[in-house]
Amino acid sequence: MARHIVATAREIPEGGRKRVVINSRPIAVFHSKGEYFALYDTCPHEGGSLSAGKLTGLVQSDGPGDYRLCRKGEIVRCPWHGWEFDLRTGQSYCDPRRMRVKSYEAGTTRPSEAVEGPYKATTFPVTVDDEYVFVEV
Amino acid sequence: MSLDTVDDVLVESRGEARAERTRPVRSTIVDCDVHPTVRTAKDLEPYLARRWWDHFTTYGLRPKHGNATADPYPKAQPRAARRDAWAPNGDQPGSNLAFMREHYLDPYGVECGILSPLNPTGQGDQNIDFSIAMTHAVNDWQLDVFTRLEPRFKASIVIPYEDGEASAREIELRAGTADFAQVLFLTRTSEPIGKRRYWPIFEAAAHHGVPVALHVFGYSGHPVSGTGWPSYYIEEMTGHSAACQAAVASLVLEGVFERFPELKVVIIEGGFGWLPSLTWRLDRHWQKLGAEVPGCRRPPSEYIREHIWITTQPIEEPEDTADLIQTMEWIGWDRLLFATDYPHWDFDDPMRALPRGLDPANRRKIEAENARALFKLG
């Protein structure tokens, strides 16, 4: 496991996302309310790219007529058939037993804490003042 | 069960993403349901007489249902499309040929995609003369914008199906052109589809050896269910199979296949799991009640087996895929046609949609061979 720098913090705005490939694995990195999340970028249902999906929330209900929208921006909906996954865990609420997408640790870091690698070297000119988004793979 | 709350910002470079999404292709497919559309309605202006363009801009399309200026049910995704199917310049899904090549034809190994224009086409419009003008225009537009520029695409002869004679004239005009693969109907017509008002269409299609495709939807005044207008999109999506069953029963029992033995019919986007049980039920009733329908001289199953092809999308997804394979076996391996429904949201990926465990020879029939034979491709 190593931390891979995939973007500068400002490159992925609130509600934004970036698709990256780390060790041949396509990974979708999301920014929601100051936090960063990373999911394997292939829907387990038919293979849609989750990085093109809509960020939405979770509707919860204790009974008929009583419902609320919570966890806004923490659920991604597949751009194809609309399967929804929790950014924090990769869990599906429709079919949690069979439909799960792998999630990865993600966050922000200063450049000195992350591995040297092609992403840092070729894509992001590093300055000590910048924060970077990392994914742990 | 969720509401959209956060605006999406796609920061990745689209060029990079497309290159990475291009997966290795196992084999090519014939896609029997692709939906092209206009960038804006203005794309059709060159193909309409001034009188009908004025009509279009003044009155718009008028299908026979409430909320006539929009879909009667909100779709699962905007424009009912895959959210990744908008072109980089903002052209809506299915309207930009260059993007469709990169995003769809090349990565999915499509050797032939049969275009099914759904909207705007003027099919089922309450003004029949406008319907005639619009469908004719849409056929010209398909040639200019798609098939003449991209040999992997074949067009559908879009017809003003509520006027059988006018539809037959459009078929006469187009059937000799290799760019057209089929005649396009929708399943929900003003009357059951086997009624004689539609026979000129079947006669012309059979005469020219062009299959007639029945795509689900159609707003000629009837709900998808037999009991009124359902409340929700999910009911309409599920109800398509019931509308398809009514269409097949009508064709068989009205004697269409007896009258036009060369007629070939393709059912599109209604699923296929229902077809075996419909066949069993029809045969059983025909044994007892067949005297009333002299146009149906043989067991209905025989007409269905000989005259009907059916597309796979949206494929049934039972818990056990062996059940799906058994259902395909009942229908017949030479009668199933692969379809993606690109660029719509319920797209079936050729690499993943067909069940694991399918015999490779049967898989090739579904993916390409059956369609090549039916549409006389290549």
Side-chain angles (χ1 to χ4, degrees), chain B residues 72-120:
Chain B
Y73 300 98
K75 306 288 186 176
Q77 307 272 26
R79 302 284 313 166
R82 283 173 48 167
R83 281 178 179 269
D84 56 354
W86 269 261
N89 67 356
D91 282 350
Q92 63 175 329
S95 70
N96 180 316
L97 177 59
F99 181 67
M100 290 170 84
R101 286 181 178 130
E102 287 177 48
H103 189 237
Y104 158 72
L105 285 170
D106 294 341
Y108 294 110
V110 180
E111 66 176 52
C112 179
I114 313 245
L115 302 172
S116 303
L118 293 185
N119 189 32

Side-chain angles (χ1 to χ4, degrees), chain A residues 24-28 38-44 48 50 101-104:
Chain A
S24 305
R25 258 175 280 194
I27 292 175
L39 297 178
Y40 188 64
D41 192 34
T42 302
C43 180
L50 296 177
V101 65
K102 182 164 177 53
S103 64
Y104 300 90

Side-chain angles (χ1 to χ4, degrees), chain A residues 35-52:
Chain A
E35 291 185 275
Y36 293 83
F37 304 95
L39 297 178
Y40 188 64
D41 192 34
T42 302
C43 180
H45 172 233
E46 270 207 44
S49 181
L50 296 177
S51 59

Side-chain angles (χ1 to χ4, degrees), chain A residues 10-72:
Chain A
R10 72 184 63 155
E11 190 185 338
I12 310 180
E14 165 64 29
R17 74 288 311 279
K18 182 178 184 182
R19 184 179 198 269
V20 299
V21 177
I22 302 175
N23 298 341
S24 305
R25 258 175 280 194
I27 292 175
V29 186
F30 298 91
H31 176 191
S32 175
K33 296 178 291 188
E35 291 185 275
Y36 293 83
F37 304 95
L39 297 178
Y40 188 64
D41 192 34
T42 302
C43 180
H45 172 233
E46 270 207 44
S49 181
L50 296 177
S51 59
K54 182 94 178 164
L55 285 183
T56 180
L58 188 66
V59 176
Q60 291 191 320
S61 171
D62 294 326
D66 171 19
Y67 55 88
R68 58 201 173 276
L69 180 65
C70 43
R71 303 195 48 205
K72 294 178 185 176

Side-chain angles (χ1 to χ4, degrees), chain A residues 15 38 42 91 93 95 122:
Chain A
T42 302
Q91 181 196 323
Y93 283 85
D95 189 353
T122 59

Side-chain angles (χ1 to χ4, degrees), chain B residues 7 151 169 204 234 287 303 314 330 346:
Chain B
D7 286 332
R169 287 197 295 276
I234 186 173
Q287 288 170 349
Y303 296 108
W330 285 327
D346 42 350

